[in-house]
Amino acid sequence: MLNNLADIEQEITSCPVGNKEELEAYRLKYLSRNGLLTSLFEDLKGVSREEKPAAGKKLNEIKRMAEAKFNTAKAELEDKDTGSADMDLTIPGRSFSVGREHILSQTLAEMVKIFREIGFKVTDGPELEEEFYNFDALNTPAHHPARDMQDTFYVQDKNDRDKKYVLRTHTSPVQIRTMLKNKPPLRIVSPGKVFRNETVTYKNYFMFQQIEGLYVDKNVSMRDLKGVLDYFFRKFYGEKTVTRFIPSFFPFTEPSGQVDVSCFICGGKGCKTCKETGWLEIGGCGMVDPNVFRSVNIDPEEYTGYAFGMGIERLAMMKYGIKDIRTFYQNDVRFLDQF
Ligand code: DAH
């Protein structure tokens, strides 16, 4: 039997166990209940008394060796399964793209911060607005061209045909809501989306964002308005920025003005961005019209105030040299990633 065992030991040692199938075949052949080793232990009973101790010892050795070989091979195969045995730590990792704040949100945050620092509170109002707030109370009566169907998106109340809503065409209705709810002194800015039924081009979009400003107190003058906008634009576009005010018209302010800032690209000399004028048109402003005060029950003899409004996309386009307003809303990460 001993000779026979030596051959079997040799056979077990060289039996391949490099994959799961081979290992299972090995187990069945040698280690299982019906395997070769079990039957050899059976055979041992018939071995002569002289030979038995040596054969028994050898057989036990072979069994231990066979089991050790099985366990080692099994552990190695499991390691391979999880990849840890041959993991290459030098391969560069996968990079994940991290989201970032949209350039308009960044611009808006910067604007709001500047106004907050000088005492303006941030408020907001609904995007679906009643005509009264968007137009009537802002001294824009029913026949006013600003209400024209071409400009305004009207929304009808399903249950009340006479009640019309509008997608607000500007952030100015927040002035009315603020003045109806609070007593002066008032100092607010109100950013938000506005909607206009416009043909979409590189400079017009049917939805955009504005920021509205309002200051109401005793003895507020045009000088305060100019001071605050001048301060704002110097903070926003840089200390060298110069602001100019030219007469304009808005139903809700009297007098009304258009605010221009000196072109921060050429410093006012004239370039492509400012169309060789040296100035960039930024927004509207003026002194709150007495009719607006009357519509919110504030006595125009006692209080005065200024208001302004500007488009956030426009400010961002000028600051970052963005040529097409549509790019803000196309969600192309190649564009958004630049800021
Ligand atoms: N609401 C105006 C617009 O959308 C902008 C504006 C002009 C706002 C003058 C004001 C203002 O508060 O005083 O064009």
Side-chain angles (χ1 to χ4, degrees), residues 126-130 155 165-168 177 195:
E127 290 168 6
L128 186 63
E129 188 53 282
E130 288 172 41
V155 179
Y165 292 92
V166 296
L167 290 178
R168 66 177 177 187
R177 290 184 173 273
F195 306 83

Side-chain angles (χ1 to χ4, degrees), residues 169-172 175 196 210 212-213 250 252-253 284-286 307-309:
T169 56
H170 51 180
T171 43
S172 304
Q175 289 185 28
R196 288 188 197 171
Q210 286 188 333
E212 189 78 14
F250 295 99
F252 31 91
T253 41
C285 64
F308 57 83

Side-chain angles (χ1 to χ4, degrees), residues 52-63:
K52 210 178 212 169
K57 191 172 169 227
K58 185 72 188 166
L59 192 53
N60 273 315
E61 266 174 39
I62 294 173
K63 189 188 173 206

Side-chain angles (χ1 to χ4, degrees), residues 65-83:
M65 181 279 287
E67 282 171 352
K69 174 169 169 160
F70 175 81
N71 290 332
T72 310
K74 189 173 172 220
E76 264 172 23
L77 285 175
E78 279 168 359
D79 259 2
K80 251 190 206 151
D81 264 1
T82 59

